[in-house]
């Protein structure tokens, strides 16, 4: 599938948290979100609006051309974005991870190159995960090696779960390097040898472009290359916590949409069951209202959990010195993000399914597309199995075991 021509920067001042401009953007994104998902209409136009608004600069300091959002403000805004369109929010996940990497980078030249991409309102996609026989983590079949002619490097392999790359200007590829090291590159998606396929067929988050990226003898310039060293000797950090909490924030946005749809559904129903508490009006039936109240409470609780964990990530970010965060503070951030996932996953699926308890059989009609909420929440949750998270938390609490040193935790 060909990629639409990227939309260039359309503003010099990015939208900021809580601003009327952000509210207008979110309202615009929400229009038609359900129909786009139902008809599988890729949101290229909507991603263009995001770029024009400078939303990708949300966390960049104001003095460097960004909106200067704190971590809490970022996650609060992300929740609102996911409420408007969970696919658009999810598409931007690895872009915002790339932003965090630049903000915490120790090398000024590397940081400047990364921020130049971000402040040009260009997006960075993802080439991390693979479908292979190797363990999920920092093990890759994709390779990056010095070019035979000495001109940079050459990249070969196949990535899957390439969320966001279909809509991006660049992609960040992670790979195996010589001598057992891991390395990668940030390259333009239109470079010769890069093929992006819109073949994601998951039952949820259908428009995220979470499919295949193929790399055939792709040229990598020296300044685009990054070396991460030994996969078994990675420093303790909080980037994995950021990536995983991001998914929980998207889930919260979906739960907010469940709440909104439950309210709208009850308000428009014109009849109730004859054996209900109010046979004439569901909107006056205490039991129906109870279900709506439970959905609302769950959405509120999930948001509170995410924002509390976001504060721990802010502490870890603030502890960074020369590119390295304080390991104890980072560990607290990892713990909080893991706890947030385990807690929210315990009720989010059921909350999304409760929508049908206030609507009856008519709510299951495909024309309403209300099943998308459960499908989306369940798909988001699979990115990192809950039971592995819970086991790691328990091991940490009981024995003091360290958390896994990769971005999947």
């Amino acid at each position: 599938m060909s990629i639409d021509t990227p939309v260039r920067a359309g503003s010099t001042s990015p939208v900021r948290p809580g601003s009327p401009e952000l509210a207008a953007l979110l309202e615009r994104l929400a229009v038609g979100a359900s129909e786009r998902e139902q008809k599988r209409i890729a949101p290229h136009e909507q991603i263009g609006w995001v770029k024009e608004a400078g939303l990708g600069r949300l966390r960049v300091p104001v003095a460097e051309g960004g909106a200067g959002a704190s971590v809490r403000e970022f996650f609060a805004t992300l929740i609102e974005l996911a409420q408007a369109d969970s696919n658009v929010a999810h598409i931007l996940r690895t872009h915002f991870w790339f932003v965090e990497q630049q903000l915490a980078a120790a090398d000024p030249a590397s940081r400047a190159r990364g921020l130049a991409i971000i402040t040009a309102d260009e997006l960075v996609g993802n080439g991390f995960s693979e479908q292979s026989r190797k363990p999920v983590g920092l093990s890759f079949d994709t390779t990056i090696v010095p070019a035979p002619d000495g001109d940079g490097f050459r990249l070969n392999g196949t990535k899957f779960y390439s969320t966001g790359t279909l809509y991006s200007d660049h992609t960040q590829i992670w790979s195996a390097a010589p001598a057992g090291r891991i390395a990668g590159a940030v390259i333009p998606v239109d470079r010769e040898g890069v093929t992006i396929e819109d073949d994601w067929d998951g039952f949820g988050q259908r428009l995220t472009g979470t499919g295949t990226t193929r790399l055939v003898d792709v040229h990598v310039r020296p300044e685009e290359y990054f070396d991460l060293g030994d996969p078994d000797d990675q420093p303790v950090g909080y980037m994995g916590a950021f990536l995983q909490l991001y998914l929980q924030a998207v889930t919260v946005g979906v739960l907010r949409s469940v709440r909104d749809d439950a309210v709208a559904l009850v308000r428009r129903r014109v009849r109730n069951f004859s054996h209900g508490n109010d046979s004439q009006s569901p909107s006056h039936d205490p039991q129906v209202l109870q279900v709506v109240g439970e959905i609302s409470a769950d959405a509120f609780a999930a948001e509170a959990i995410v924002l509390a964990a976001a504060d721990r990530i802010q502490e870890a970010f603030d502890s960074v010195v020369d590119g390295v965060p304080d390991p104890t503070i980072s560990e607290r951030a990892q713990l909080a993000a893991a706890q947030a996932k385990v807690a929210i996953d315990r009720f989010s699926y059921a909350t999304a399914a409760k929508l049908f308890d206030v609507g009856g059989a008519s709510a299951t009609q495909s024309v309403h597309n209300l099943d998308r909420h459960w499908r989306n929440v369940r798909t988001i949750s699979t990115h990192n199995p809950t039971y592995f998270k819970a086991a790691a938390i328990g091991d940490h609490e009981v024995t003091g075991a360290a958390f896994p040193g990769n971005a999947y935790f």
Side-chain angles (χ1 to χ4, degrees), residues 134-323:
K134 292 184 176 179
V136 177
L138 296 176
S139 300
F140 305 109
D141 290 331
T142 300
T143 61
I144 188 166
V145 298
D149 60 3
D151 180 19
F153 302 84
R154 296 290 172 174
L155 190 58
N156 286 277
T158 301
K159 295 291 186 178
F160 199 64
Y161 309 110
S162 306
T163 304
T165 298
L166 185 71
Y167 305 91
S168 297
D169 305 280
H170 307 264
T171 184
Q172 186 177 54
I173 305 295
W174 298 62
S175 58
R181 300 173 73 81
I182 53 174
V186 178
I187 56 173
V189 297
D190 60 359
R191 181 160 293 172
E192 184 178 358
V194 179
T195 303
I196 302 167
E197 300 176 13
D198 190 10
D199 58 347
W200 169 240
D201 63 350
F203 62 66
Q205 295 301 91
R206 292 173 171 176
L207 303 180
T208 55
T210 305
T212 304
T213 299
R214 302 189 189 280
L215 308 151
V216 179
D217 204 29
V218 178
H219 175 230
V220 175
R221 297 169 183 163
E223 67 272 18
E224 297 168 334
Y225 176 88
F226 58 87
D227 186 308
L228 292 168
D230 186 336
D232 296 322
D233 188 28
Q234 295 300 301
V236 175
Y238 62 91
M239 290 297 174
F242 177 89
L243 272 171
Q244 300 307 322
L245 189 64
Y246 192 107
L247 294 172
Q248 304 317 303
V250 176
T251 294
V252 175
V254 175
L255 295 183
R256 279 184 162 197
S257 294
V258 172
R259 177 201 62 199
D260 294 345
D261 280 350
V263 170
L265 182 58
V266 172
R267 285 177 175 171
R268 70 172 180 260
R269 284 185 61 190
V270 296
R271 64 173 184 165
N272 200 10
F273 290 93
S274 61
H275 51 282
N277 292 295
D278 188 319
S279 61
Q280 300 302 314
S281 173
S283 61
H284 291 89
D285 188 317
Q287 285 188 300
V288 174
L289 296 177
Q290 176 185 336
V291 177
V292 175
E294 290 172 351
I295 291 172
S296 177
D298 286 349
F300 173 83
E303 180 174 357
I305 290 169
V306 165
L307 294 181
D311 289 339
R312 297 292 175 268
I313 293 178
Q314 180 72 64
E315 292 169 1
F317 174 79
D318 292 340
S319 76
V320 173
V321 176
D322 294 329

Side-chain angles (χ1 to χ4, degrees), residues 35-55:
E35 182 182 9
R36 288 193 294 273
E37 182 168 315
Q38 192 172 36
K39 297 181 179 179
R40 299 193 77 107
I41 301 171
H44 289 288
E45 182 179 20
Q46 288 69 33
I47 293 298
W49 302 341
V50 165
K51 294 167 70 173
E52 290 172 346
L55 189 64

Side-chain angles (χ1 to χ4, degrees), residues 77-161:
T77 302
L78 174 59
I79 289 169
E80 293 179 324
L81 178 62
Q83 181 181 3
D85 188 326
S86 68
N87 283 285
V88 169
H90 200 161
I91 284 166
L92 300 173
R93 181 182 178 224
T94 49
H95 171 80
F96 284 118
W97 177 36
F98 179 75
V99 173
E100 288 301 311
Q101 292 172 48
Q102 310 320 303
L103 296 182
D107 178 33
S110 175
R111 185 181 191 275
R113 284 193 298 271
L115 286 180
I117 292 173
I118 298 161
T119 55
D121 291 328
E122 297 177 348
L123 299 180
V124 180
N126 159 48
F128 193 98
S129 301
E130 301 173 347
Q131 289 187 324
S132 74
R133 295 181 178 276
K134 292 184 176 179
V136 177
L138 296 176
S139 300
F140 305 109
D141 290 331
T142 300
T143 61
I144 188 166
V145 298
D149 60 3
D151 180 19
F153 302 84
R154 296 290 172 174
L155 190 58
N156 286 277
T158 301
K159 295 291 186 178
F160 199 64
Y161 309 110

